[in-house]
């Protein structure tokens, strides 16, 4: 069983709703593992139900009880336009494709400020209020959220021990994230899981695979995996990859293949 607690943070740019799902069981000696979920409006409830179900028999499923921190925006839509600002790196110049509906892109380039919020406000709040395991702190992001996961890994890898980038939008601004792709020297980072749909939608698969290969080559001590489930698209890959990625990151799978 899990219980839910809900908080509001003012933020420097706009407010956030934080939904925390807490296992109703004795806290492990090292504290609960924590999963921070970007785009919580879309994925918070989904992931909480998946974790609740599988953690009942963790010895069989490989999914342990954990604290889930769903980062959400006000309003009922699953993907709020504010995510574009929060999840994209700053850039002096910007070149983006036209949007399918012909509308202009929302405000962008606020990833540094969003990282500030995570580091200075949200993570300390969660660690103070709940007993958490500092060696098992995962961040999950999909699409632009996956881009932010990678940007955080390259810029402030100390914030999390495990990184889960699902269909990361490496294409953003002509792959402007690539210059940040350097050796990950922070020994605090334990694992990286990248998933991408095996279809050429903005080259998600090709870009994700290349990123995985480069990081694996130059960071030998970092446990990495790349997962491309057949038959999945940009949205269906999320539930298809979630349990696989969490088992890998939580050391329940030692080796992954394409």
């Amino acid at each position: 069983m899990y219980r839910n607690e809900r908080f509001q943070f003012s933020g420097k740019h706009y407010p956030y709703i934080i939904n925390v799902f807490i296992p109703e069981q004795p806290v492990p000696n090292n504290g609960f593992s924590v999963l921070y979920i970007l785009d919580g409006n879309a994925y918070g409830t989904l992931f909480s139900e998946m974790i609740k179900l599988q953690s009942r028999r963790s010895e069989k499923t490989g999914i342990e009880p954990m604290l889930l921190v769903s980062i959400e925006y006000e309003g009922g839509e699953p993907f709020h336009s504010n995510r574009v600002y929060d999840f994209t790196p700053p850039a002096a110049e910007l070149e983006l494709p036209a949007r399918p509906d012909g509308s202009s892109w929302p405000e962008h380039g606020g990833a540094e400020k969003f990282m500030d919020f995570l580091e200075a406000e949200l993570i300390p709040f969660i660690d103070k209020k709940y007993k958490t395991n500092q060696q098992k702190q995962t961040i999950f992001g999909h699409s632009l959220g996956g881009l932010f996961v990678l940007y955080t890994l390259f810029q402030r890898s100390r914030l999390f021990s495990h990184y889960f980038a699902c269909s990361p939008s490496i294409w953003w601004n002509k792959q402007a994230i690539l210059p940040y792709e350097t050796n990950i020297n922070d020994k605090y980072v334990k694992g990286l899981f990248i998933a991408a749909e095996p279809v050429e939608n903005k080259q998600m698969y090709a870009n994700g695979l290349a990123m995985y290969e480069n990081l694996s080559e130059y960071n030998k001590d970092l446990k990495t995996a790349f997962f491309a489930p057949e038959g999945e698209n940009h949205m269906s890959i999320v539930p298809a990859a979630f349990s696989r990625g969490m088992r890998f990151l939580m050391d329940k799978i030692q080796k992954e293949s394409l």
Side-chain angles (χ1 to χ4, degrees), residues 148-174:
F148 178 81
V149 167
L150 294 174
Y151 186 68
T152 304
L153 175 65
F154 301 148
Q155 293 293 90
R156 302 192 204 180
S157 56
R158 64 185 181 274
L159 293 187
F160 303 95
S161 58
H162 298 80
Y163 289 78
F164 191 150
C166 188
S167 299
S169 296
I170 296 170
W171 59 268
W172 175 265
N173 195 18
K174 298 185 68 175

mmCIF file of all heavy atoms in Angstrom, residues 148-174:
data_model
loop_
_atom_site.group_PDB
_atom_site.id
_atom_site.type_symbol
_atom_site.label_atom_id
_atom_site.label_comp_id
_atom_site.label_asym_id
_atom_site.label_seq_id
_atom_site.Cartn_x
_atom_site.Cartn_y
_atom_site.Cartn_z
ATOM 1 N N PHE A 148 16.291 16.838 -20.830
ATOM 2 C CA PHE A 148 16.687 17.452 -19.564
ATOM 3 C C PHE A 148 17.450 16.466 -18.680
ATOM 4 O O PHE A 148 18.414 16.853 -18.007
ATOM 5 C CB PHE A 148 15.459 17.971 -18.814
ATOM 6 C CG PHE A 148 15.794 18.563 -17.476
ATOM 7 C CD1 PHE A 148 16.270 19.859 -17.380
ATOM 8 C CD2 PHE A 148 15.663 17.818 -16.317
ATOM 9 C CE1 PHE A 148 16.601 20.412 -16.150
ATOM 10 C CE2 PHE A 148 15.990 18.357 -15.081
ATOM 11 C CZ PHE A 148 16.461 19.660 -14.994
ATOM 12 N N VAL A 149 17.052 15.207 -18.683
ATOM 13 C CA VAL A 149 17.774 14.191 -17.905
ATOM 14 C C VAL A 149 19.231 14.136 -18.344
ATOM 15 O O VAL A 149 20.162 14.126 -17.521
ATOM 16 C CB VAL A 149 17.103 12.817 -18.051
ATOM 17 C CG1 VAL A 149 18.008 11.700 -17.523
ATOM 18 C CG2 VAL A 149 15.765 12.795 -17.308
ATOM 19 N N LEU A 150 19.469 14.117 -19.655
ATOM 20 C CA LEU A 150 20.839 14.071 -20.165
ATOM 21 C C LEU A 150 21.588 15.359 -19.849
ATOM 22 O O LEU A 150 22.766 15.324 -19.469
ATOM 23 C CB LEU A 150 20.830 13.821 -21.669
ATOM 24 C CG LEU A 150 20.306 12.457 -22.120
ATOM 25 C CD1 LEU A 150 20.215 12.407 -23.642
ATOM 26 C CD2 LEU A 150 21.184 11.330 -21.602
ATOM 27 N N TYR A 151 20.936 16.494 -19.990
ATOM 28 C CA TYR A 151 21.576 17.774 -19.695
ATOM 29 C C TYR A 151 21.988 17.834 -18.221
ATOM 30 O O TYR A 151 23.090 18.305 -17.888
ATOM 31 C CB TYR A 151 20.615 18.912 -20.032
ATOM 32 C CG TYR A 151 21.221 20.292 -19.893
ATOM 33 C CD1 TYR A 151 22.218 20.725 -20.758
ATOM 34 C CD2 TYR A 151 20.769 21.166 -18.906
ATOM 35 C CE1 TYR A 151 22.772 21.994 -20.631
ATOM 36 C CE2 TYR A 151 21.310 22.433 -18.777
ATOM 37 C CZ TYR A 151 22.314 22.847 -19.644
ATOM 38 O OH TYR A 151 22.861 24.104 -19.517
ATOM 39 N N THR A 152 21.131 17.340 -17.343
ATOM 40 C CA THR A 152 21.469 17.308 -15.918
ATOM 41 C C THR A 152 22.645 16.375 -15.664
ATOM 42 O O THR A 152 23.539 16.685 -14.870
ATOM 43 C CB THR A 152 20.249 16.853 -15.095
ATOM 44 O OG1 THR A 152 19.138 17.719 -15.362
ATOM 45 C CG2 THR A 152 20.553 16.884 -13.604
ATOM 46 N N LEU A 153 22.648 15.225 -16.330
ATOM 47 C CA LEU A 153 23.760 14.286 -16.201
ATOM 48 C C LEU A 153 25.078 14.953 -16.582
ATOM 49 O O LEU A 153 26.104 14.749 -15.918
ATOM 50 C CB LEU A 153 23.512 13.063 -17.090
ATOM 51 C CG LEU A 153 24.629 12.024 -17.180
ATOM 52 C CD1 LEU A 153 24.865 11.351 -15.827
ATOM 53 C CD2 LEU A 153 24.287 10.975 -18.242
ATOM 54 N N PHE A 154 25.076 15.752 -17.628
ATOM 55 C CA PHE A 154 26.306 16.383 -18.106
ATOM 56 C C PHE A 154 26.689 17.623 -17.290
ATOM 57 O O PHE A 154 27.869 17.922 -17.144
ATOM 58 C CB PHE A 154 26.149 16.792 -19.576
ATOM 59 C CG PHE A 154 25.840 15.644 -20.496
ATOM 60 C CD1 PHE A 154 25.061 15.825 -21.619
ATOM 61 C CD2 PHE A 154 26.320 14.370 -20.226
ATOM 62 C CE1 PHE A 154 24.774 14.775 -22.479
ATOM 63 C CE2 PHE A 154 26.036 13.307 -21.065
ATOM 64 C CZ PHE A 154 25.263 13.504 -22.186
ATOM 65 N N GLN A 155 25.695 18.330 -16.762
ATOM 66 C CA GLN A 155 25.957 19.595 -16.093
ATOM 67 C C GLN A 155 26.040 19.487 -14.575
ATOM 68 O O GLN A 155 26.843 20.165 -13.946
ATOM 69 C CB GLN A 155 24.879 20.616 -16.473
ATOM 70 C CG GLN A 155 24.909 21.041 -17.941
ATOM 71 C CD GLN A 155 26.158 21.837 -18.269
ATOM 72 O OE1 GLN A 155 27.176 21.271 -18.660
ATOM 73 N NE2 GLN A 155 26.088 23.143 -18.100
ATOM 74 N N ARG A 156 25.164 18.666 -13.977
ATOM 75 C CA ARG A 156 25.136 18.545 -12.510
ATOM 76 C C ARG A 156 24.881 17.091 -12.127
ATOM 77 O O ARG A 156 23.883 16.759 -11.483
ATOM 78 C CB ARG A 156 24.069 19.449 -11.891
ATOM 79 C CG ARG A 156 24.226 20.912 -12.206
ATOM 80 C CD ARG A 156 23.321 21.778 -11.347
ATOM 81 N NE ARG A 156 23.053 23.043 -11.986
ATOM 82 C CZ ARG A 156 22.296 24.006 -11.488
ATOM 83 N NH1 ARG A 156 21.724 23.820 -10.296
ATOM 84 N NH2 ARG A 156 22.082 25.130 -12.143
ATOM 85 N N SER A 157 25.777 16.244 -12.534
ATOM 86 C CA SER A 157 25.578 14.809 -12.316
ATOM 87 C C SER A 157 25.439 14.447 -10.847
ATOM 88 O O SER A 157 24.890 13.400 -10.502
ATOM 89 C CB SER A 157 26.725 14.012 -12.944
ATOM 90 O OG SER A 157 27.975 14.448 -12.431
ATOM 91 N N ARG A 158 25.886 15.328 -9.953
ATOM 92 C CA ARG A 158 25.810 15.044 -8.523
ATOM 93 C C ARG A 158 24.376 14.994 -8.008
ATOM 94 O O ARG A 158 24.132 14.484 -6.907
ATOM 95 C CB ARG A 158 26.556 16.124 -7.739
ATOM 96 C CG ARG A 158 25.937 17.512 -7.879
ATOM 97 C CD ARG A 158 26.758 18.599 -7.204
ATOM 98 N NE ARG A 158 26.146 19.921 -7.329
ATOM 99 C CZ ARG A 158 26.325 20.721 -8.367
ATOM 100 N NH1 ARG A 158 27.089 20.317 -9.382
ATOM 101 N NH2 ARG A 158 25.747 21.925 -8.411
ATOM 102 N N LEU A 159 23.418 15.524 -8.771
ATOM 103 C CA LEU A 159 22.060 15.622 -8.263
ATOM 104 C C LEU A 159 21.386 14.269 -8.109
ATOM 105 O O LEU A 159 20.536 14.082 -7.231
ATOM 106 C CB LEU A 159 21.207 16.515 -9.173
ATOM 107 C CG LEU A 159 21.571 17.998 -9.214
ATOM 108 C CD1 LEU A 159 20.537 18.765 -10.007
ATOM 109 C CD2 LEU A 159 21.689 18.564 -7.808
ATOM 110 N N PHE A 160 21.729 13.303 -8.963
ATOM 111 C CA PHE A 160 21.069 11.995 -8.931
ATOM 112 C C PHE A 160 22.107 10.899 -9.112
ATOM 113 O O PHE A 160 23.165 11.123 -9.700
ATOM 114 C CB PHE A 160 20.001 11.903 -10.022
ATOM 115 C CG PHE A 160 18.950 12.968 -9.939
ATOM 116 C CD1 PHE A 160 19.061 14.134 -10.685
ATOM 117 C CD2 PHE A 160 17.873 12.833 -9.077
ATOM 118 C CE1 PHE A 160 18.115 15.140 -10.586
ATOM 119 C CE2 PHE A 160 16.913 13.827 -8.971
ATOM 120 C CZ PHE A 160 17.029 14.981 -9.727
ATOM 121 N N SER A 161 21.768 9.718 -8.632
ATOM 122 C CA SER A 161 22.664 8.577 -8.799
ATOM 123 C C SER A 161 22.336 7.775 -10.052
ATOM 124 O O SER A 161 23.198 7.100 -10.606
ATOM 125 C CB SER A 161 22.597 7.662 -7.574
ATOM 126 O OG SER A 161 21.264 7.210 -7.364
ATOM 127 N N HIS A 162 21.083 7.845 -10.517
ATOM 128 C CA HIS A 162 20.640 7.071 -11.674
ATOM 129 C C HIS A 162 19.844 7.969 -12.614
ATOM 130 O O HIS A 162 19.020 8.783 -12.157
ATOM 131 C CB HIS A 162 19.788 5.885 -11.227
ATOM 132 C CG HIS A 162 20.520 4.908 -10.358
ATOM 133 N ND1 HIS A 162 20.720 5.120 -9.014
ATOM 134 C CD2 HIS A 162 21.103 3.714 -10.646
ATOM 135 C CE1 HIS A 162 21.390 4.098 -8.491
ATOM 136 N NE2 HIS A 162 21.637 3.237 -9.465
ATOM 137 N N TYR A 163 20.057 7.775 -13.914
ATOM 138 C CA TYR A 163 19.446 8.625 -14.928
ATOM 139 C C TYR A 163 18.695 7.766 -15.939
ATOM 140 O O TYR A 163 19.258 6.830 -16.505
ATOM 141 C CB TYR A 163 20.515 9.468 -15.633
ATOM 142 C CG TYR A 163 21.082 10.550 -14.741
ATOM 143 C CD1 TYR A 163 22.038 10.256 -13.760
ATOM 144 C CD2 TYR A 163 20.635 11.858 -14.842
ATOM 145 C CE1 TYR A 163 22.533 11.249 -12.917
ATOM 146 C CE2 TYR A 163 21.136 12.861 -14.014
ATOM 147 C CZ TYR A 163 22.079 12.542 -13.052
ATOM 148 O OH TYR A 163 22.565 13.523 -12.216
ATOM 149 N N PHE A 164 17.417 8.103 -16.187
ATOM 150 C CA PHE A 164 16.540 7.336 -17.073
ATOM 151 C C PHE A 164 16.010 8.310 -18.125
ATOM 152 O O PHE A 164 15.131 9.119 -17.854
ATOM 153 C CB PHE A 164 15.401 6.730 -16.251
ATOM 154 C CG PHE A 164 14.557 5.699 -16.955
ATOM 155 C CD1 PHE A 164 13.952 4.679 -16.227
ATOM 156 C CD2 PHE A 164 14.342 5.738 -18.325
ATOM 157 C CE1 PHE A 164 13.168 3.717 -16.841
ATOM 158 C CE2 PHE A 164 13.558 4.780 -18.960
ATOM 159 C CZ PHE A 164 12.958 3.763 -18.209
ATOM 160 N N ALA A 165 16.558 8.225 -19.345
ATOM 161 C CA ALA A 165 16.167 9.107 -20.449
ATOM 162 C C ALA A 165 15.402 8.293 -21.479
ATOM 163 O O ALA A 165 15.977 7.452 -22.167
ATOM 164 C CB ALA A 165 17.396 9.749 -21.082
ATOM 165 N N CYS A 166 14.105 8.541 -21.582
ATOM 166 C CA CYS A 166 13.252 7.803 -22.518
ATOM 167 C C CYS A 166 12.966 8.683 -23.734
ATOM 168 O O CYS A 166 12.450 9.795 -23.597
ATOM 169 C CB CYS A 166 11.952 7.408 -21.813
ATOM 170 S SG CYS A 166 10.895 6.292 -22.753
ATOM 171 N N SER A 167 13.329 8.191 -24.905
ATOM 172 C CA SER A 167 13.160 8.937 -26.158
ATOM 173 C C SER A 167 13.625 10.383 -26.029
ATOM 174 O O SER A 167 12.886 11.331 -26.321
ATOM 175 C CB SER A 167 11.692 8.911 -26.604
ATOM 176 O OG SER A 167 11.250 7.606 -26.830
ATOM 177 N N PRO A 168 14.861 10.591 -25.595
ATOM 178 C CA PRO A 168 15.327 11.967 -25.371
ATOM 179 C C PRO A 168 15.361 12.774 -26.667
ATOM 180 O O PRO A 168 15.771 12.271 -27.712
ATOM 181 C CB PRO A 168 16.730 11.775 -24.796
ATOM 182 C CG PRO A 168 17.172 10.431 -25.293
ATOM 183 C CD PRO A 168 15.936 9.601 -25.339
ATOM 184 N N SER A 169 14.936 14.016 -26.580
ATOM 185 C CA SER A 169 14.881 14.898 -27.755
ATOM 186 C C SER A 169 16.252 15.501 -28.032
ATOM 187 O O SER A 169 16.455 16.728 -27.985
ATOM 188 C CB SER A 169 13.844 16.000 -27.534
ATOM 189 O OG SER A 169 12.550 15.459 -27.411
ATOM 190 N N ILE A 170 17.194 14.639 -28.376
ATOM 191 C CA ILE A 170 18.560 15.078 -28.679
ATOM 192 C C ILE A 170 18.566 15.992 -29.907
ATOM 193 O O ILE A 170 19.471 16.814 -30.078
ATOM 194 C CB ILE A 170 19.462 13.842 -28.873
ATOM 195 C CG1 ILE A 170 19.540 13.049 -27.556
ATOM 196 C CG2 ILE A 170 20.857 14.223 -29.345
ATOM 197 C CD1 ILE A 170 20.212 11.690 -27.683
ATOM 198 N N TRP A 171 17.534 15.898 -30.742
ATOM 199 C CA TRP A 171 17.433 16.721 -31.938
ATOM 200 C C TRP A 171 17.254 18.206 -31.630
ATOM 201 O O TRP A 171 17.508 19.055 -32.508
ATOM 202 C CB TRP A 171 16.247 16.264 -32.791
ATOM 203 C CG TRP A 171 14.931 16.341 -32.067
ATOM 204 C CD1 TRP A 171 14.336 15.342 -31.353
ATOM 205 C CD2 TRP A 171 14.076 17.483 -31.952
ATOM 206 N NE1 TRP A 171 13.149 15.791 -30.797
ATOM 207 C CE2 TRP A 171 12.968 17.099 -31.159
ATOM 208 C CE3 TRP A 171 14.125 18.795 -32.435
ATOM 209 C CZ2 TRP A 171 11.923 17.971 -30.842
ATOM 210 C CZ3 TRP A 171 13.085 19.668 -32.114
ATOM 211 C CH2 TRP A 171 12.007 19.255 -31.330
ATOM 212 N N TRP A 172 16.841 18.540 -30.406
ATOM 213 C CA TRP A 172 16.475 19.926 -30.077
ATOM 214 C C TRP A 172 17.586 20.902 -30.459
ATOM 215 O O TRP A 172 18.751 20.713 -30.111
ATOM 216 C CB TRP A 172 16.171 20.031 -28.587
ATOM 217 C CG TRP A 172 15.901 21.434 -28.107
ATOM 218 C CD1 TRP A 172 16.791 22.298 -27.560
ATOM 219 C CD2 TRP A 172 14.644 22.124 -28.167
ATOM 220 N NE1 TRP A 172 16.176 23.490 -27.257
ATOM 221 C CE2 TRP A 172 14.851 23.415 -27.624
ATOM 222 C CE3 TRP A 172 13.368 21.786 -28.627
ATOM 223 C CZ2 TRP A 172 13.836 24.355 -27.521
ATOM 224 C CZ3 TRP A 172 12.355 22.721 -28.523
ATOM 225 C CH2 TRP A 172 12.584 23.983 -27.976
ATOM 226 N N ASN A 173 17.211 21.938 -31.184
ATOM 227 C CA ASN A 173 18.122 23.017 -31.587
ATOM 228 C C ASN A 173 19.380 22.453 -32.255
ATOM 229 O O ASN A 173 20.501 22.782 -31.886
ATOM 230 C CB ASN A 173 18.500 23.885 -30.370
ATOM 231 C CG ASN A 173 19.132 25.203 -30.787
ATOM 232 O OD1 ASN A 173 19.001 25.633 -31.927
ATOM 233 N ND2 ASN A 173 19.831 25.830 -29.854
ATOM 234 N N LYS A 174 19.133 21.597 -33.273
ATOM 235 C CA LYS A 174 20.231 21.017 -34.070
ATOM 236 C C LYS A 174 21.238 20.286 -33.175
ATOM 237 O O LYS A 174 22.446 20.439 -33.309
ATOM 238 C CB LYS A 174 20.917 22.101 -34.905
ATOM 239 C CG LYS A 174 20.004 22.771 -35.930
ATOM 240 C CD LYS A 174 20.755 23.744 -36.804
ATOM 241 C CE LYS A 174 21.731 23.029 -37.724
ATOM 242 N NZ LYS A 174 22.388 23.975 -38.675
#
